Amino acid sequence: MDCLFCKIAAGEIDSKRVYEDDRVVAFRDINPAAPVHVLVVPREHVSRISEAGEEHAELIGRLHLAAGKIAEAEGLKDYRLVINCGEGAGQSVFHVHLHLLGGRPMSWPPG
């Protein structure tokens, strides 16, 4: 498989990691949209959130728990978590990932 995030998770491509455990890797976005912009990625490849099944429920939960730990470590009181699903929603890498955005005021709607 030629997946950028699979390669990052496997350590084949360098990244600025901020967190990792046996199921999740998190690293700074190379094109940040906020002062803190971290991508939280499962080591297991799932192309998009709409393709996740019941067997991925714990994994999706782990992404959110990891994001909370990272936000605390980054000193964020307020932050946004985003999962884009599909090209029209802004997904550019087809490997489920959660964006942790913080360090500035966020507006609504986001885009």
Side-chain angles (χ1 to χ4, degrees):
M1 183 174 296
D2 193 35
C3 171
L4 175 65
F5 288 173
C6 284
K7 290 178 180 179
I8 290 172
E12 296 171 18
I13 295 176
D14 286 335
S15 64
K16 293 181 180 178
R17 291 188 184 204
V18 296
Y19 177 88
E20 66 181 298
D21 64 26
D22 61 324
R23 309 238 1 235
V24 174
V25 174
F27 50 92
R28 299 204 184 276
D29 194 299
I30 61 170
N31 188 25
V36 175
H37 189 168
V38 173
L39 302 177
V40 186
V41 177
R43 291 182 186 273
E44 178 184 344
H45 183 85
V46 178
S47 294
R48 42 194 294 163
I49 195 71
S50 62
E51 294 177 8
E54 288 294 322
E55 69 275 16
H56 299 108
E58 180 188 355
L59 182 61
I60 301 306
R62 281 178 170 257
L63 295 178
H64 288 81
L65 292 174
K69 291 176 185 176
I70 297 161
E72 183 176 348
E74 295 284 329
L76 299 175
K77 178 182 172 194
D78 301 316
Y79 55 92
R80 179 171 286 165
L81 301 177
V82 177
I83 296 177
N84 298 319
C85 184
E87 194 172 318
Q91 185 177 9
S92 59
V93 177
F94 284 83
H95 181 120
V96 167
H97 55 286
L98 188 151
H99 294 258
L100 166 61
L101 301 150
R104 67 169 172 82
M106 301 284 164
S107 61
W108 194 262

